[in-house]
Amino acid sequence: MEWILALIIFIASYTLIIAEKFNRALVACLGGVFMLLAGVLNLENVFLQHIDWHTIILLLSMMILVSITSQSGLFEFLAISLARMVKGKPVALLVVISTLTAAGSALLNNVTTVLLIVPIVITLTSMLKITAIPYLLATILASNIGGTATLIGDPPNLMIGQAVAHLNFNDFLIHLGPVVLVIYIVVMAGISYLYKNKLTVRDQDRRELMNVNPRIYLTRRSLLFKSVTVLILTTAGFIAQPLLNVELTSIAMAGALLLMLLTNDDQRTEEVFQAVEWVTIFFFAGLFMLVGGLKETGLIDEIAKSIIYYTEGDVPSTSLLILWSSGILSGFVDNIPFVAAMIPVILEFQEYGMTNLDPLWWALALGACLGGNGTLIGASSNVIVAGLAMKAKQPFTYVDFLKVGVPTALVSFVISSIYLYFRYLTDFL
């Protein structure tokens, strides 16, 4: 009976989130509370098992870093420099920003990258007097695609890397990098074509922007030096994380606290905390509770096991089914608990005589990461960008994102299927 209650609460909450009649954080938290009242969850398990505090603290730390850095004028400087580089052409700017986002998501992680990129997008579109929405949507798509390419780019890859001892950073880059590059080129071509007639800048606005010297925004040199130094150190920590053997969250938290300490004279601690996107933080907490209810009742585990049951252990069929099912489900259920449920199931295949499980791991990684582009709540970066867009008075709806997200996800799955088939699965036929 508990699983029925959990499913009803989950569906009702997601329906209200999609309808956007109420604040999404309020709906998600209410759904989580109903899971508690219905007895599906208990408070101890919520705090100890289901809320992913690593994600919450990582997000909070990066928000603090970005908030302080934004006061230095760095984002305005970068925005104008980028615009001048492409001579203020809006579609070319879209491609440049997306490429920067994809590369950043691969080298850092997609959460960190969108927190750094979105302020640049907002500043730039404000100066050019054009809507920021196409740029924000492209930023989301690029972050999820780019993050798929590396071990540290997206949480599902990190989880797979931790569970499978022989897979390292280079393995992810070699096996996922080629298909990610193809998907990115195809998606960017589609996005550029979609918006080529919708993004226009007046010649006067473009000339005014070209005449602006970006250096005039770098007035607080001391704050700039401290912010950039800590950002570089934090980024270096992320890249060197496998060697340091320190969690990403710890590195981000150390960076945030260090920058707050160094800039205490420039910006009081109270002001820094006021600038945090608390609505986004609570939305994540509510989502973790909702998905935790499904996990607690065994629904996610049953979905994972049913995939294996229907394919009868056939590697090609199982790989493609994992790719598509994890991709579709990741659009509606946070990919972290789904991947957590799938990892032990895939490992069990070894008991049935399967020696090479790598195709299944690559299928799971591609499906879980790329599936985040399916809906607005499919990945952490999506939710963050939506929250920042709302704060900047450039909001977009759930349906707005679906119009570009669903085609992007489907194209990504088709390309991934072809790639998996010809690179890994023909040997099993």
Side-chain angles (χ1 to χ4, degrees), residues 216-231:
I216 65 172
Y217 288 92
L218 302 178
T219 54
R220 305 176 70 178
R221 297 301 174 98
S222 173
L223 180 61
L224 175 67
F225 176 76
K226 294 171 184 175
S227 301
V228 171
T229 300
V230 174
L231 269 179

Side-chain angles (χ1 to χ4, degrees), residues 5 28 44 48 52 58 81 134 144 156 160 180-181 214 222 275 281 284 335 365 375 380 392 403 419 422-424 427:
L5 278 173
E44 185 177 357
L48 296 181
D52 187 346
L58 173 65
S81 299
N144 289 323
I160 293 169
V180 165
L181 181 60
S222 173
I281 297 289
F284 271 107
N335 51 23
T375 70
S380 305
K403 290 176 182 177
Y419 175 78
F422 285 105
R423 182 161 181 180
Y424 304 107
D427 293 339

Side-chain angles (χ1 to χ4, degrees), residues 311-386:
T311 61
E312 297 180 344
D314 177 64
V315 173
S317 301
T318 305
S319 298
L320 294 176
L321 186 57
I322 286 174
L323 169 69
W324 282 84
S325 60
S326 61
I328 293 169
L329 285 168
S330 291
F332 300 95
V333 179
D334 191 280
N335 51 23
I336 293 172
F338 181 78
V339 170
M342 280 300 298
I343 285 172
V345 175
I346 292 176
L347 288 172
E348 282 181 17
F349 267 45
Q350 290 176 322
E351 298 179 10
Y352 297 99
M354 251 186 229
T355 54
N356 183 13
L357 299 180
D358 285 0
L360 304 185
W361 296 125
W362 303 135
L364 180 62
L366 287 168
C369 296
L370 295 172
N373 277 334
T375 70
L376 190 56
I377 53 178
S380 305
S381 54
N382 307 17
V383 178
I384 294 162
V385 174

Side-chain angles (χ1 to χ4, degrees), residues 7 14 19 42 51 67 101 109 143 176 237 252-253 255 269 283 289 317 321 356 371 376 403:
L7 193 59
Y14 267 60
N42 66 65
I51 292 181
S67 171
T101 303
N109 58 71
S143 72
L176 300 182
M253 192 162 49
T269 302
F283 181 51
M289 292 172 71
S317 301
L321 186 57
N356 183 13
L376 190 56
K403 290 176 182 177

Side-chain angles (χ1 to χ4, degrees), residues 129-152:
K129 297 181 177 136
I130 54 177
T131 175
I133 292 174
Y135 295 90
L136 294 171
L137 296 179
T139 297
I140 292 174
L141 301 180
S143 72
N144 289 323
I145 294 171
T148 308
T150 65
L151 173 66
I152 60 173

Side-chain angles (χ1 to χ4, degrees), residues 61-387:
S61 300
M62 292 312 302
M63 282 181 174
I64 290 170
L65 279 170
V66 171
S67 171
I68 296 173
T69 305
S70 66
Q71 302 300 314
S72 70
L74 176 65
F75 296 129
E76 287 84 352
F77 172 81
L78 292 173
I80 296 169
S81 299
L82 281 174
R84 286 164 61 91
M85 185 176 73
V86 297
K87 298 180 179 178
K89 295 177 181 177
V91 175
L93 193 60
L94 185 77
V95 174
V96 169
I97 287 173
S98 300
T99 303
L100 192 62
T101 303
S105 296
L107 293 173
L108 304 173
N109 58 71
N110 47 21
V111 170
T112 302
T113 302
V114 297
L115 281 166
L116 294 171
I117 293 291
V118 170
I120 297 174
V121 170
I122 298 297
T123 300
L124 197 51
T125 52
S126 174
M127 289 179 171
L128 288 171
K129 297 181 177 136
I130 54 177
T131 175
I133 292 174
Y135 295 90
L136 294 171
L137 296 179
T139 297
I140 292 174
L141 301 180
S143 72
N144 289 323
I145 294 171
T148 308
T150 65
L151 173 66
I152 60 173
D154 215 359
N157 286 2
L158 194 57
M159 294 167 68
I160 293 169
Q162 289 172 336
V164 187
H166 70 274
L167 296 181
N168 56 36
F169 187 92
N170 290 335
D171 289 323
F172 277 82
L173 192 59
I174 291 167
H175 290 276
L176 300 182
V179 67
V180 165
L181 181 60
V182 173
I183 291 169
Y184 177 72
I185 292 170
V186 171
V187 170
M188 278 304 106
I191 292 293
S192 299
Y193 178 79
L194 178 66
Y195 290 117
K196 69 175 183 178
N197 295 323
K198 297 179 182 179
L199 289 175
T200 56
V201 177
R202 293 190 311 166
D203 288 338
Q204 180 184 345
D205 293 329
R206 187 158 54 210
R207 282 196 300 270
E208 286 179 3
L209 184 65
M210 294 299 291
N211 290 330
V212 175
N213 182 354
R215 293 183 179 276
I216 65 172
Y217 288 92
L218 302 178
T219 54
R220 305 176 70 178
R221 297 301 174 98
S222 173
L223 180 61
L224 175 67
F225 176 76
K226 294 171 184 175
S227 301
V228 171
T229 300
V230 174
L231 269 179
I232 290 172
L233 287 173
T234 306
T235 303
F238 286 156
I239 296 172
Q241 186 265 342
L243 299 174
L244 297 173
N245 199 27
V246 178
E247 292 178 340
L248 291 175
T249 305
S250 301
I251 295 170
M253 192 162 49
L257 292 171
L258 175 61
L259 187 56
M260 288 176 70
L261 185 66
L262 292 175
T263 60
N264 189 55
D265 293 336
D266 299 287
Q267 199 169 14
R268 292 186 303 119
T269 302
E270 292 84 353
E271 295 172 345
V272 174
F273 282 128
Q274 285 173 1
V276 169
E277 287 287 320
W278 291 108
V279 171
T280 303
I281 297 289
F282 278 97
F283 181 51
F284 271 107
L287 278 182
F288 285 133
M289 292 172 71
L290 285 171
V291 176
L294 298 187
K295 191 175 181 182
E296 195 72 32
T297 57
L299 277 172
I300 291 179
D301 288 326
E302 288 303 314
I303 291 170
K305 290 175 183 175
S306 65
I307 291 171
I308 309 303
Y309 173 79
Y310 285 115
T311 61
E312 297 180 344
D314 177 64
V315 173
S317 301
T318 305
S319 298
L320 294 176
L321 186 57
I322 286 174
L323 169 69
W324 282 84
S325 60
S326 61
I328 293 169
L329 285 168
S330 291
F332 300 95
V333 179
D334 191 280
N335 51 23
I336 293 172
F338 181 78
V339 170
M342 280 300 298
I343 285 172
V345 175
I346 292 176
L347 288 172
E348 282 181 17
F349 267 45
Q350 290 176 322
E351 298 179 10
Y352 297 99
M354 251 186 229
T355 54
N356 183 13
L357 299 180
D358 285 0
L360 304 185
W361 296 125
W362 303 135
L364 180 62
L366 287 168
C369 296
L370 295 172
N373 277 334
T375 70
L376 190 56
I377 53 178
S380 305
S381 54
N382 307 17
V383 178
I384 294 162
V385 174

